[in-house]
Amino acid sequence: MTLLTILFDGVAYGMLLFVLASGLAVTLGLMNFVNLAHGAFAMFGGYVCAVLVNRWGMPFFAALPMAFVAGALSGVVAERTMFRHLYGRSHLDQVLFTVGFVFMAVAAADYVMGSAQIFINLPESLQGQIDLFGIGVGRYRLMIIAICGLLAFGIQLTLAKTRFGARLRAAVDDPRVAGGMGINVPQVFAFTFAFGCGLAGLGGALGAEILGLDPYFPLKFLIYFLIVVTVGGSSTITGPFLASLVLGVADVAGKYYVPKLGAFVIYTLMIVILIWRPHGLFGRAATR
Amino acid sequence: MTNQSEIAVSAARTGRWRWQEIVFWLLVLASYVLFSNRYLILTEIAWLALFALSLDLIMGYAGIVSLGHAAFFGVGAYSVGLLAKYGIINEPVIALVAAGLIAMVLGFVTSFLVIRGTDLSRLMVTLGIALLLRELANRFSDITGGFDGLQGFTIQPVLGLFEFDIFGSVAYVYCVAVLFVLFLIARRIVNSPFGLSLRAIQNNPLRAAAVGIPVNRRLVTIYSIAAFYAGVAGALFTQTTALASLDVFSLERSADLLLVLVIGGGGYLYGGIIGAVVFKILQEVFSTITPQYWQFWIGFVLVAIVLLGRDRMHRWVMWGPDFLIRRLGLRPASAVRPEGGRS
Amino acid sequence: MTLALETIGLEKHFGGLNVTRNLSLQVKAGARHALIGPNGAGKTTVINLLTGVIAPDGGKILLEGADITAMPVHRRVRQGLSRTFQINQLFADLTPLETIGLAVAERLGQGTQMWRRRGTRPEINDEIEQHLTNFRLLDVMNEPTVTLPYGKQRLLEIALAIATGPRVLLLDEPAAGVPEIERHDILAAVANLPRDVTVLLIEHDMDLVFSFADRISVLVSGALLVEGAPDEIARDPQVKAVYLGEAHDA
């Protein structure tokens, strides 16, 4: 039954990646803003959750929303003070800026939290496995699938059914036309950026157990976020979702079946996909 | 002066050696005597300058932004290390050329991925390739030494005559010599008709094609050449430090390189060298202030440069050196690129 | 009667929109052929199809009898087909000297030269001088293109296309946006194009069209409406109807 376990682990991993990377996908699709520092907000949320649970004794499930809030708040602050100035600039400038930002974040995290990997004390209910259809499935991973699945569903629902969702989709499709139709694009973006950073923070907290949380998190996982966004495209939410799942399963399967090459599989897969479809599997060429 | 010879003169103008450049290189020569107690850092500046020169070739002249140029640096580094360790090629200069060629092949192969697609996919692919190589080096740690790095190799005397000494004087002269020769070649290339076609491609690829320029072919060519240069830089690094570990492929290395070129400015060949000097000075300064967290300040400099605007930053902070540079005529008048221009 | 340029059943659609419909155009060698039509008729699309910027969904393109339908943009230029752009597409940082020199060098196969310095071949210098003189750019030859006045840029746009040594030249609204005082230079440059170069001109300016063309094709909604000598077209009731729907302009 190892195949099922791999699928299960892979799906959990993929869902986690989706929560982490979705903010980046929307940011890129919406404002054509290359934010290589996205992982820094995830790391921040992760550390906040760790401090709350490990040092202040807050229950895990209470700390998770705080991780989201931490991510969102830091996103708002960063956006209002710095990132905002870079929307119209060239991609090179955005790359340089966000890379510099990541370096600062990594060093700051190292200084404040130390360079060792941190684990969050999990509640009893999340430890070990439960019996599902005769297979032992990890409780933690099950929780991840549940939470992230709900989130993905909620996001898709918001985008498709609410007015805000409609405005966001319009703004992603063509910011100029959307602005001309009276949609307050900067406001939509500020909110979306904050929400994306919040999701990243939540993802960082959730991911501490599976991915490992240390000061180098933003750099280690940057490539994964970028793969999700490039392969999944940035014009829909389903694209990155599917891309995350494929990536998660491929990574877990790769590390199991060809352990010598491990993450090698992912990078090759990414390159192959980019050769075949330079705009991502589900993306469209930008309208601007 | 007839129109004809006026045209000949104007066309050849950018290619002619100006006295300012000669002074620059004489200064470099003089540094051997002037800074005789700082050969180690000068050597670092030299190969870093070569590395930045290689990035300038693709970024400053062809407009390709790469987040993974360290891939070629790393290939060059490991190549000479492995060549020395297994005694395949013992003479450093030949090994250097071989390493450059290996990097060039990699550059050629990957260029087809890099020239397609958007800005973002280009960033992705270049980063992905560098990380992929890092993974490869990690997995085959029995050959490469993995995290600990390549061990147990020594570099033979240059040309069989000049043994690497502990003061680093041989290393320094070696690096500067290689830098100078490759610089000369690069200078010829960018001032040739081929170099002009690159600048045209950077300005307006649509029109370049409409003038009969095979755009992709030219980009593949310059990318391969740049890969050769980066490979040689990596080889110099390993030959002068006897080190080769996984961080030769790291994102930090590629990002630091971007900073070097941004400091010095791209598109006029000297930016890489000037940027390398300034970067190393900054690194020294930051490392003395905070030995463990100096990358924070590097990041800060990057953020500051971009927020202030590269042009404005150049004008304020670099007012002195910039004034000198312009006075000496090293940077062409129209080199300043518009902000937020090319995406 | 040899055909310099010919399309057979050329088709192009963007999504559901059919922008080029079964276009069969014939341009005779040495002709001064004009393509006119109301806004949105798809004239620039035709040029983009002819030059290879976009690929057709059906039909063929023949340049002097050779099928170039699948040829990439730069190869078509080598085969002798050049164009100008409606909005100037120039090299902002390059000077007119460099721009023209670039085109001439490419044509003479010098584009891959990495070692030789520029300006050392007299035959190239000769030709550069000739083009710069013909298009009145000699006095500004060392100024970066981005600093030139619009009229000079427009002249450079045409000069650049000529410098590629085409046998067939597609001009996309050469006089567009040029201020009144500089128009004369453009019109004179167009009129003085070598007779052995076949020219297909897209224009809105009817004065220019009727003074220049010996044959006119009218394009409406991506299809050829009518074709003939200038005086026939001027009298054609269909053409008048198509244009009467438009606002009165030059």
Side-chain angles (χ1 to χ4, degrees):
Chain A
M1 287 293 112
T2 353
L3 184 62
L4 280 177
T5 318
I6 289 176
L7 262 174
F8 179 74
D9 282 355
V11 167
Y13 187 38
M15 296 276 218
L16 184 60
L17 275 180
F18 171 71
V19 168
L20 280 166
S22 52
L24 181 60
V26 184
T27 310
L28 182 66
L30 182 56
M31 284 304 242
N32 208 15
F33 181 70
V34 182
N35 180 15
L36 298 186
H38 187 71
F41 300 101
M43 178 176 71
F44 185 62
Y47 275 126
V48 163
C49 183
V51 166
L52 287 175
V53 171
N54 292 353
R55 296 200 201 159
W56 292 10
M58 194 186 272
F60 182 71
F61 285 105
L64 281 182
M66 301 308 294
F68 178 90
V69 169
L73 272 177
S74 56
V76 166
V77 169
E79 199 251 343
R80 286 287 101 191
T81 53
M82 292 183 282
F83 285 52
R84 188 162 54 103
H85 302 287
L86 287 136
Y87 291 161
R89 303 270 284 268
S90 68
H91 279 157
L92 174 62
D93 280 345
Q94 293 169 357
V95 165
L96 292 173
F97 175 82
T98 50
V99 166
F101 189 84
V102 169
F103 282 0
M104 287 170 70
V106 166
D110 194 358
Y111 181 71
V112 172
M113 301 297 298
S115 52
Q117 201 173 65
I118 290 208
F119 296 97
I120 305 180
N121 298 334
L122 296 178
E124 282 276 324
S125 51
L126 287 178
Q127 294 179 24
Q129 299 187 333
I130 64 168
D131 215 2
L132 208 62
F133 307 121
I135 326 161
V137 294
R139 285 167 183 257
Y140 193 79
R141 283 178 171 71
L142 192 59
M143 184 253 325
I144 292 216
I145 293 182
I147 291 188
C148 298
L150 277 170
L151 271 173
F153 184 67
I155 292 172
Q156 182 59 10
L157 210 63
T158 313
L159 279 179
K161 302 286 183 209
T162 67
R163 236 194 0 222
F164 174 79
R167 271 187 243 135
L168 179 59
R169 278 182 292 130
V172 171
D173 212 39
D174 197 325
R176 271 176 301 170
V177 173
M181 285 172 55
I183 295 175
N184 189 340
V185 176
Q187 198 182 65
V188 167
F189 180 64
F191 182 82
T192 313
F193 187 82
F195 190 79
C197 290
L199 280 179
L202 177 63
L206 286 172
E209 180 69 19
I210 299 187
L211 304 173
L213 182 62
D214 63 31
Y216 290 92
F217 180 89
L219 290 171
K220 279 200 299 191
F221 291 96
L222 174 63
I223 184 76
Y224 286 88
F225 306 151
L226 289 177
I227 291 177
V228 166
V229 169
T230 339
V231 170
S234 47
S235 44
T236 63
I237 233 22
T238 39
F241 183 73
L242 289 170
S244 308
L245 287 178
V246 168
L247 183 59
V249 173
D251 195 48
V252 170
K255 288 192 171 125
Y256 180 79
Y257 287 118
V258 248
K260 189 99 168 118
L261 296 176
F264 190 76
V265 172
I266 299 304
Y267 302 147
T268 324
L269 195 65
M270 172 197 78
I271 291 175
V272 165
I273 291 178
L274 281 176
I275 301 175
W276 176 41
R277 301 278 214 105
H279 291 291
L281 276 178
F282 309 100
R284 276 178 310 126
T287 47
R288 58 189 85 80
Chain B
M1 207 189 259
T2 67
N3 280 331
Q4 233 274 23
S5 46
E6 217 176 276
I7 287 180
V9 162
S10 296
R13 196 180 42 172
T14 46
R16 222 170 297 117
W17 276 90
R18 275 165 281 169
W19 66 265
Q20 302 92 339
E21 292 180 75
I22 300 180
V23 168
F24 178 88
W25 287 104
L26 284 176
L27 273 173
V28 170
L29 208 69
S31 64
Y32 183 73
V33 173
L34 293 173
F35 300 106
S36 56
N37 59 336
R38 314 227 56 194
Y39 286 145
L40 286 174
I41 192 173
L42 284 179
T43 310
E44 281 179 32
I45 295 179
W47 56 253
L48 182 61
L50 180 60
F51 192 23
L53 175 64
S54 85
L55 186 68
D56 199 4
L57 287 175
I58 56 169
M59 222 169 81
Y61 283 93
I64 301 173
V65 178
S66 169
L67 206 55
H69 210 53
F72 309 116
F73 184 87
V75 164
Y78 272 105
S79 293
V80 288
L82 290 168
L83 287 173
K85 178 167 180 174
Y86 293 102
I88 306 175
I89 297 180
N90 282 314
E91 202 283 311
V93 176
I94 302 177
L96 186 84
V97 174
L101 288 173
I102 296 173
M104 184 154 115
V105 168
L106 177 70
F108 177 75
V109 168
T110 57
S111 64
F112 297 100
L113 305 170
V114 172
I115 58 181
R116 287 168 62 110
T118 61
D119 258 1
L120 180 67
S121 64
R122 230 195 310 275
L123 290 172
M124 293 293 315
V125 170
T126 50
L127 178 60
I129 291 167
L131 290 179
L132 206 143
L133 286 167
R134 191 182 179 281
E135 272 299 305
L136 263 178
N138 195 16
R139 291 300 156 180
F140 292 99
S141 50
D142 36 345
I143 304 179
T144 64
F147 273 112
D148 299 322
L150 202 59
Q151 315 277 356
F153 66 98
T154 45
I155 307 293
Q156 300 300 316
V158 177
L159 299 176
L161 301 169
F162 307 101
E163 204 174 314
F164 285 98
D165 61 312
I166 50 165
F167 300 107
S169 60
V170 169
Y172 180 53
V173 172
Y174 177 48
C175 282
V176 170
V178 172
L179 171 66
F180 185 63
V181 168
L182 288 180
F183 177 85
L184 285 180
I185 297 175
R187 201 175 177 288
R188 275 288 197 147
I189 293 177
V190 302
N191 287 319
S192 67
F194 174 80
L196 184 61
S197 71
L198 285 180
R199 282 175 57 210
I201 292 172
Q202 189 185 31
N203 267 261
N204 194 334
L206 173 68
R207 196 57 202 271
V211 174
I213 297 175
V215 172
N216 287 348
R217 233 183 292 162
R218 299 286 158 90
L219 291 178
V220 165
T221 310
I222 195 64
Y223 197 77
S224 307
I225 294 175
F228 178 84
Y229 274 53
V232 171
L236 284 177
F237 162 73
T238 296
Q239 285 180 336
T240 55
T241 60
L243 290 172
S245 64
L246 295 181
D247 68 2
V248 292
F249 291 118
S250 69
L251 170 59
E252 283 92 326
R253 195 168 290 275
S254 295
D256 285 346
L257 184 69
L258 280 174
L259 177 57
V260 167
L261 195 59
V262 164
I263 291 177
Y268 68 107
L269 278 194
Y270 285 92
I273 306 175
I274 294 172
V277 172
V278 175
F279 178 82
K280 274 299 173 186
I281 295 176
L282 281 177
Q283 199 178 38
E284 281 271 296
V285 167
F286 292 150
S287 294
T288 29
I289 296 177
T290 161
Q292 202 179 350
Y293 305 109
W294 59 271
Q295 278 278 39
F296 178 87
W297 295 108
I298 296 289
F300 182 77
V301 169
L302 255 178
V303 166
I305 288 181
V306 177
L307 279 180
L308 288 177
R310 282 178 271 155
D311 295 333
R312 221 182 305 164
M313 187 232 82
H314 272 126
R315 282 201 296 273
W316 297 355
V317 174
M318 300 270 289
W319 187 85
D322 213 29
F323 176 74
L324 261 169
I325 290 171
R326 248 179 295 122
R327 224 66 224 343
L328 294 173
L330 283 174
R331 186 179 306 176
S334 58
V336 172
R337 304 234 172 268
E339 270 312 299
R342 291 183 312 280
S343 256
Chain C
M1 173 198 86
T2 44
L3 289 179
L5 188 62
E6 184 183 2
T7 71
I8 303 174
L10 207 56
E11 290 272 338
K12 182 69 188 170
H13 23 90
F14 292 115
L17 197 64
N18 213 341
V19 290
T20 307
R21 296 181 286 151
N22 198 19
L23 186 68
S24 294
L25 185 67
Q26 294 181 335
V27 182
K28 299 197 191 68
R32 292 288 185 262
H33 199 129
L35 185 65
I36 65 174
N39 280 324
K43 305 190 288 295
T44 301
T45 308
V46 170
I47 300 252
N48 286 336
L49 286 166
L50 289 172
T51 49
V53 173
I54 53 180
D57 293 314
K60 287 210 285 193
I61 304 169
L62 303 172
L63 179 66
E64 293 177 325
D67 190 340
I68 61 168
T69 320
M71 231 184 241
V73 175
H74 66 267
R75 284 276 309 281
R76 300 191 195 198
V77 177
R78 303 284 194 168
Q79 293 279 114
L81 177 67
S82 284
R83 72 170 292 179
T84 63
F85 289 80
Q86 186 177 353
I87 303 173
N88 282 337
Q89 292 290 342
L90 295 168
F91 307 114
D93 296 333
L94 270 56
T95 64
L97 172 62
E98 289 173 326
T99 308
I100 301 292
L102 177 75
V104 174
E106 283 299 326
R107 204 189 77 234
L108 295 177
Q110 293 299 304
T112 48
Q113 266 288 352
M114 287 194 229
W115 194 252
R116 198 169 182 138
R117 280 185 246 266
R118 301 202 310 262
T120 50
R121 298 195 95 125
E123 65 270 20
I124 296 186
N125 293 342
D126 270 338
E127 202 180 317
I128 297 176
E129 189 199 352
Q130 200 186 336
H131 290 306
L132 289 174
T133 319
N134 290 346
F135 287 91
R136 309 164 74 87
L137 293 165
L138 213 49
D139 49 336
V140 294
M141 71 176 180
N142 287 318
E143 315 292 321
T145 301
V146 71
T147 62
L148 297 177
Y150 190 82
K152 291 279 186 189
Q153 286 188 7
R154 208 84 184 105
L155 283 170
L156 181 58
E157 173 78 24
I158 303 173
L160 179 55
I162 289 289
T164 61
R167 285 195 297 282
V168 179
L169 178 63
L170 311 176
L171 294 174
D172 195 348
E173 298 196 41
V178 178
E180 198 62 45
I181 33 169
E182 287 165 324
R183 279 172 72 83
H184 177 257
D185 287 339
I186 308 286
L187 303 182
V190 172
N192 289 329
L193 291 171
R195 276 320 304 202
D196 54 346
V197 174
T198 309
V199 180
L200 176 63
L201 171 77
I202 291 182
E203 249 310 335
H204 274 300
D205 183 339
M206 287 307 150
D207 291 334
L208 177 55
V209 170
F210 283 100
S211 65
F212 175 80
D214 53 35
R215 188 160 185 81
I216 300 179
S217 299
V218 183
L219 196 71
V220 179
S221 300
L224 268 182
L225 180 69
V226 71
E227 202 176 78
D231 43 330
E232 294 168 13
I233 297 295
R235 283 173 292 157
D236 191 303
Q238 277 185 297
V239 176
K240 284 196 188 148
V242 156
Y243 274 98
L244 259 167
E246 291 208 323
H248 241 296
D249 58 0

